[in-house]
Amino acid sequence: MSEQRRIGVYICHCGGNISDFVDVAAVRDAVGDEADVVVAETALFACSDGTQKDMEQAIRDQNLDGLVVASCSPKLHLFTFRGVARRAGLNPFEYSHVNVREQDSWAHGDDTAAATEKAISLVRAGIARTRLSEPLDVLTVETTPKALVIGAGIAGLRAAIGLADVGLGVYLIEREAELGGWVGTLGAMFPADRDGREMIASLVAEVRKRPSIIVLTRAELISKSGSFGNYVAEIRVRTDGEAGQVIRAEVGSIIVATGTDSYQPEAGEFGYGIDGVLTLPEFTRLVDSAEGPLTRNGRPVRTIAYIYCVGNRQPGGNEYCSKFCCTAAVHDSVKVSRLDPSVHQYHLHRDIRTYGKYELLYTESRERGSVYLKFADDAPPSVALGPDGRLTVTTTDTLTPGAELAIPADLVVLVTGMVARQNDALKSILKVPVGSDGFFNEIHPKLRPVETMVDGVLVAGACQGPKTSAEAVASGLTAVTQTAAILKKGVAELDPLVAAVDPAACTWCGVCAQTCPYEAIASVAADGKQIAVISATTCKGCGGCAPLCPADAIDLRGYTDAQITSMIDGMAREPVG
Amino acid sequence: MPEGDDGAWSPRILVFSTNNISDPGIDLAGSRHLHYPPGVRVISVPCSSGIRPSWIMHAFRAGFDGVFVASDGEECALLPDCAGRSAKITADAQEQMRPAGLEPGRLKMAALCSVCAEPFVNYMREFSASLTELGPVSMATAS
């Protein structure tokens, strides 16, 4: 491409974040004489409304066909300046972003001459890239106005109702025979003592009222194909005595709400395995089933010791805090006290994390007589059977120095947290990134809290990480809003920076098709030969096929061979001259 | 040829990073004002499996003294076998470097996560030091 371009270049001061370390005027002077550059300016804040308007004016007045802004990281303002281009009638993909803050001024504040030299070479690379850019159209695909919700716990049920109420069709699939998940097994829950089973029953009744929700129990996702807006999901439904039935569902998006498991202690971990040592869910079931003062195996329970943070906040193990378990255990102790105020309850903890208004429950439990004893992180309590056959918990209270306490107890409750569900089959079908803790990863916990790296596959509830039921419902509703935003328009916009084949160079060896895990590449007949063709809507834009093509016939748009090599040349040039 | 503060030669390093994984880690190093040698230049691509060995060779021809591939490793959301693909790309580049008279130590690869600010800074300091020992790049064969 040798025709003359008309490129505008802006170098941002970022107040002083850049210009305190980079001589922005020297950068402007150095790149102002570059071929094809017709505007070169500095700006105090390139992202300010005023400067954005100035840029739009320059694009129109100077008839610019390319734009380069050297400023902060593209994570902050790539879309801002693409928007400037678009508003001024310039194709947004003629814009190149150059990062001279995070990757220059802030990293080289100890050497301003070298930082300026680096900025010049980075801007030259940006100009080189835009010189070879071409206008691209955002890809649009028609979308199917239906969603698949995987998991009918509280998050999935609430999401299904929400989706139906915004006019989307829903497949709600549940692996178990019953709907309701964890919450469906619970009695009175914190903070307002609402009964989990009743809450689930009312949600299930709401689901049944909505004919646009198809509920499948004993059903699992066995394959997913297609792409964002038009997925095809195959669902196997188990039936007694038969191989089961496979149902094919066409959906625009998928909400994963597969929930969580409770940590299961090892035998011997804090005495687990000894009669009378229970996990938090086991204890909660015992309390919820009690109709009077607590008994176990026919004997009254007079003393309970709780040990917190079992299986969580463990270096080398589950390092995270499950954050619901403190409040759940404190709430259980309040329920026990309501059944029989004379029960002695000792809470052995590292910290109590009854956050927000749950603090009131902590206060109530103390007013009801619960005793809280803090142990050191490196000195956890131990549990043993005493000579009298009673359980004894031994701990050192950090607030009474040197005081080792031996607490005889009828029950020891191991306050266990949440762990990620083992579900490798589902994970490999969905291809949603999973963190080192085993939970599904959203793109950003605050900015994009239910979206994943796989377009159109959303996550909600405790499959993302430990959540209270209220938090699980909130994320389920967030997923509804996000799904509505992408499916109610009827068309989806996709980034066009995907791989493309040069038909003249392609000899159809099939290497690219074999290497693409998304099955985006197929062979077609064209001009008397077979060539590869890449589906722009299925391609993820990784570019992994390009280096493998023996004929060098594949380029990734926005990162073409010509663009990258010219960027390298632009960066490598001597700073002056 | 670039010169440092004291007028001595300092190496130029081209880093290939990735938009969603290693680039945020490199950004974080800057956000925390961690200093590393200013001879480092970064080109970011969607996935380290898309880097061409020819780009690495082109960088040496253009005058870069070292190339560092900050790969996605096991965290790649795009390709499950990204680590193996990226390793093959650098191995192929090494094959092309040998006949060109380029020392293997001029090309390094390491997985860099989105919060790996300190590891990146350490890699750059160590790489710059080892390239300083190797001296400026020179190609045995004309390009």
Side-chain angles (χ1 to χ4, degrees), chain A residues 260-261 263 309-313 318-326 353 355 415-419 439 465-468 471:
Chain A
T260 179
D261 274 329
Y263 175 75
C309 294
V310 174
N312 273 185
R313 301 174 70 201
N318 299 321
E319 295 188 4
Y320 54 87
C321 165
S322 284
K323 80 191 170 108
F324 86 100
C325 21
C326 279
R353 295 181 170 182
Y355 55 96
V415 180
T416 45
M418 291 178 179
V419 294
F439 291 100
K467 285 185 166 62
T468 66
E471 291 162 351

Coordinates of all heavy atoms in Angstrom, one line a residue, chain A residues 260-261 263 309-313 318-326 353 355 415-419 439 465-468 471:
Chain A
T260 N -22.0 -24.3 43.8 CA -20.8 -24.6 44.6 C -21.0 -25.9 45.4 O -22.1 -26.4 45.5 CB -20.5 -23.4 45.5 OG1 -19.3 -23.7 46.2 CG2 -21.6 -23.1 46.4
D261 N -19.9 -26.4 45.9 CA -19.9 -27.5 46.9 C -19.4 -26.9 48.2 O -18.7 -25.9 48.3 CB -19.1 -28.6 46.4 CG -19.8 -29.6 45.5 OD1 -21.0 -29.7 45.7 OD2 -19.2 -30.1 44.6
Y263 N -16.9 -27.5 51.5 CA -15.6 -28.1 51.7 C -15.8 -29.4 52.6 O -16.5 -29.3 53.6 CB -14.7 -27.1 52.4 CG -13.4 -27.8 52.8 CD1 -12.4 -28.1 51.9 CD2 -13.1 -28.1 54.2 CE1 -11.2 -28.7 52.2 CE2 -11.9 -28.7 54.5 CZ -11.0 -29.0 53.6 OH -9.8 -29.6 53.9
C309 N -13.1 -21.1 59.6 CA -12.1 -21.1 58.6 C -11.6 -22.5 58.3 O -10.4 -22.6 57.9 CB -10.9 -20.1 58.8 SG -11.4 -18.4 58.9
V310 N -12.4 -23.5 58.4 CA -11.9 -24.9 58.1 C -12.0 -25.0 56.5 O -13.0 -24.9 55.9 CB -12.8 -25.9 58.8 CG1 -12.4 -27.3 58.3 CG2 -12.6 -25.8 60.3
G311 N -10.8 -25.3 56.0 CA -10.7 -25.5 54.5 C -10.6 -24.2 53.7 O -10.7 -24.3 52.5
N312 N -10.6 -23.1 54.4 CA -10.5 -21.8 53.7 C -9.3 -21.0 54.3 O -8.9 -21.3 55.4 CB -11.8 -21.0 53.8 CG -12.8 -21.3 52.7 OD1 -13.8 -20.7 52.6 ND2 -12.5 -22.3 51.9
R313 N -8.9 -20.0 53.6 CA -7.8 -19.2 54.0 C -6.6 -20.0 54.4 O -5.9 -19.7 55.4 CB -8.3 -18.3 55.1 CG -9.4 -17.4 54.8 CD -10.0 -16.6 55.9 NE -9.0 -15.6 56.4 CZ -9.0 -15.0 57.6 NH1 -9.9 -15.4 58.5 NH2 -8.2 -14.1 57.9
N318 N -7.1 -23.9 49.8 CA -8.1 -22.8 49.4 C -7.7 -21.5 50.1 O -8.0 -21.4 51.2 CB -9.5 -23.3 49.7 CG -9.8 -24.6 49.0 OD1 -9.5 -24.8 47.8 ND2 -10.5 -25.5 49.7
E319 N -7.1 -20.6 49.3 CA -6.5 -19.5 50.0 C -7.6 -18.4 50.2 O -7.3 -17.5 51.0 CB -5.3 -18.9 49.2 CG -4.2 -19.9 49.1 CD -2.9 -19.3 48.5 OE1 -3.0 -18.1 48.1 OE2 -2.0 -20.1 48.3
Y320 N -8.7 -18.5 49.5 CA -9.7 -17.5 49.6 C -10.6 -17.6 50.9 O -10.6 -18.6 51.5 CB -10.6 -17.5 48.4 CG -11.2 -18.9 48.2 CD1 -12.4 -19.2 48.8 CD2 -10.6 -19.8 47.4 CE1 -13.0 -20.5 48.6 CE2 -11.1 -21.1 47.2 CZ -12.3 -21.4 47.8 OH -12.8 -22.7 47.7
C321 N -11.3 -16.5 51.2 CA -12.3 -16.5 52.3 C -13.7 -16.8 51.6 O -14.0 -16.2 50.6 CB -12.3 -15.1 52.9 SG -13.7 -14.8 54.0
S322 N -14.5 -17.7 52.2 CA -15.8 -17.9 51.6 C -16.8 -16.9 52.0 O -18.0 -17.0 51.5 CB -16.2 -19.4 51.9 OG -15.5 -20.3 51.2
K323 N -16.6 -16.1 53.0 CA -17.3 -14.9 53.4 C -18.7 -15.1 53.8 O -19.3 -14.2 54.5 CB -17.1 -13.8 52.4 CG -18.0 -13.8 51.2 CD -17.5 -12.8 50.2 CE -18.2 -12.9 48.8 NZ -19.2 -11.9 48.5
F324 N -19.4 -16.2 53.5 CA -20.7 -16.4 54.0 C -20.7 -17.2 55.3 O -21.7 -17.1 56.1 CB -21.6 -17.2 53.0 CG -21.5 -18.7 53.2 CD1 -22.4 -19.4 53.8 CD2 -20.3 -19.3 52.7 CE1 -22.3 -20.8 54.0 CE2 -20.2 -20.7 52.9 CZ -21.1 -21.4 53.5
C325 N -19.6 -17.9 55.6 CA -19.7 -19.0 56.6 C -19.6 -18.4 58.0 O -20.3 -19.0 58.9 CB -18.6 -20.0 56.4 SG -17.2 -19.5 55.4
C326 N -18.9 -17.3 58.2 CA -19.0 -16.6 59.5 C -20.4 -16.3 59.9 O -20.9 -16.7 61.0 CB -18.1 -15.4 59.6 SG -16.4 -15.6 59.8
R353 N -16.0 -12.4 60.2 CA -16.2 -11.5 59.0 C -17.7 -11.5 58.7 O -18.2 -11.9 57.7 CB -15.4 -12.0 57.8 CG -13.9 -11.9 58.0 CD -13.2 -12.4 56.8 NE -11.7 -12.0 57.0 CZ -10.8 -12.3 56.1 NH1 -11.1 -12.9 55.0 NH2 -9.6 -11.9 56.3
Y355 N -19.9 -9.2 57.7 CA -19.7 -7.9 57.2 C -21.1 -7.2 57.0 O -22.1 -7.8 56.9 CB -18.9 -7.9 55.8 CG -19.5 -8.9 54.8 CD1 -20.4 -8.4 53.8 CD2 -19.2 -10.2 54.8 CE1 -20.9 -9.2 52.8 CE2 -19.8 -11.1 53.8 CZ -20.6 -10.5 52.9 OH -21.1 -11.4 51.9
V415 N -16.6 -25.0 60.8 CA -17.3 -24.0 59.9 C -16.6 -24.0 58.6 O -15.5 -23.4 58.3 CB -17.2 -22.6 60.6 CG1 -17.9 -21.6 59.7 CG2 -17.9 -22.6 61.9
T416 N -17.1 -24.8 57.7 CA -16.5 -25.1 56.4 C -17.0 -24.1 55.3 O -18.2 -23.7 55.4 CB -16.9 -26.5 55.9 OG1 -18.2 -26.8 56.2 CG2 -16.1 -27.5 56.7
G417 N -16.2 -23.8 54.4 CA -16.5 -22.8 53.4 C -17.0 -23.5 52.1 O -17.3 -24.7 52.0
M418 N -17.0 -22.7 51.0 CA -17.4 -23.2 49.7 C -16.2 -23.5 48.9 O -15.2 -22.9 48.9 CB -18.2 -22.1 49.0 CG -19.5 -21.8 49.6 SD -20.4 -20.4 48.7 CE -21.9 -20.3 49.6
V419 N -16.3 -24.6 48.1 CA -15.3 -25.0 47.1 C -15.9 -25.1 45.7 O -17.1 -25.3 45.6 CB -14.6 -26.3 47.5 CG1 -13.8 -26.1 48.8 CG2 -15.6 -27.4 47.6
F439 N -12.9 -21.8 40.5 CA -14.2 -21.1 40.2 C -14.1 -20.5 38.8 O -13.0 -20.1 38.3 CB -14.5 -20.1 41.2 CG -14.9 -20.6 42.6 CD1 -13.9 -20.6 43.6 CD2 -16.1 -21.1 42.8 CE1 -14.3 -21.1 44.9 CE2 -16.5 -21.6 44.1 CZ -15.6 -21.6 45.1
G465 N -17.5 -17.9 42.5 CA -16.8 -17.8 43.8 C -17.9 -17.7 44.9 O -19.1 -17.5 44.6
P466 N -17.4 -17.8 46.2 CA -18.4 -17.9 47.3 C -19.3 -16.7 47.3 O -18.9 -15.5 47.1 CB -17.5 -17.9 48.5 CG -16.2 -18.5 48.0 CD -16.0 -18.0 46.6
K467 N -20.6 -16.9 47.5 CA -21.6 -15.8 47.5 C -22.6 -16.2 48.6 O -22.9 -17.4 48.8 CB -22.3 -15.7 46.2 CG -21.4 -15.0 45.1 CD -22.3 -14.8 43.9 CE -21.7 -13.8 42.9 NZ -20.4 -14.2 42.4
T468 N -23.3 -15.2 49.1 CA -24.5 -15.4 49.9 C -25.6 -15.6 48.9 O -25.5 -15.3 47.7 CB -24.8 -14.2 50.8 OG1 -25.1 -13.1 50.0 CG2 -23.6 -13.9 51.7
E471 N -26.4 -12.4 47.2 CA -25.4 -12.0 46.2 C -25.6 -12.9 44.9 O -25.4 -12.4 43.8 CB -24.0 -12.2 46.8 CG -23.7 -11.1 47.8 CD -22.5 -11.5 48.7 OE1 -22.0 -12.6 48.6 OE2 -22.1 -10.6 49.5

